[in-house]
Amino acid sequence: MDPNFDDEALEPDGWMWVRGVDYVAGWRSAVDAATELKGAMDEAGIDTTEVRSIAATTTDGAGVLRVSLPVEAALALANAAREEALRWRKAGASGARSG
């Protein structure tokens, strides 16, 4: 046995598959989310050449997307999200005035 192996850190729920859980559907939804995220970032003009994502599932079969991106891409994504949120707030405020 590896002397560096930490058996107390081993979490069976983190790696065991449960009969009847549809892991493939969760993984597919994570893959679809990765495609959507990359497309949205491309449309926003964010460089995605160094963006990496890993589709996975949780123990209950829910999709999970793990994303790794350069700081510049993260900041650009945060800025795009803030601009969109501001646009929605302004649209909501003007809609409230006209109603």
Side-chain angles (χ1 to χ4, degrees):
M1 181 168 205
D2 182 352
N4 297 321
F5 181 74
D6 182 5
D7 63 344
E8 290 182 21
L10 184 62
E11 182 183 349
D13 286 341
W15 56 268
M16 288 182 63
W17 288 31
V18 178
R19 184 182 317 254
V21 175
D22 187 358
Y23 296 100
V24 174
W27 177 82
R28 282 186 183 141
S29 69
V31 169
D32 291 345
T35 301
E36 287 293 319
L37 180 60
K38 182 183 180 310
M41 291 175 73
D42 286 339
E43 289 175 17
I46 300 170
D47 180 10
T48 58
T49 56
E50 296 296 320
V51 174
R52 301 289 177 257
S53 62
I54 298 172
T57 61
T58 60
T59 56
D60 67 355
V64 174
L65 182 63
R66 292 178 174 87
V67 180
S68 171
L69 58 161
V71 170
E72 296 80 16
L75 294 172
L77 183 58
N79 187 46
R82 284 190 186 103
E83 287 176 4
E84 184 65 9
L86 179 61
R87 186 178 73 77
W88 278 98
R89 280 195 301 272
K90 285 182 180 178
S94 66
R97 281 186 231 129
S98 65

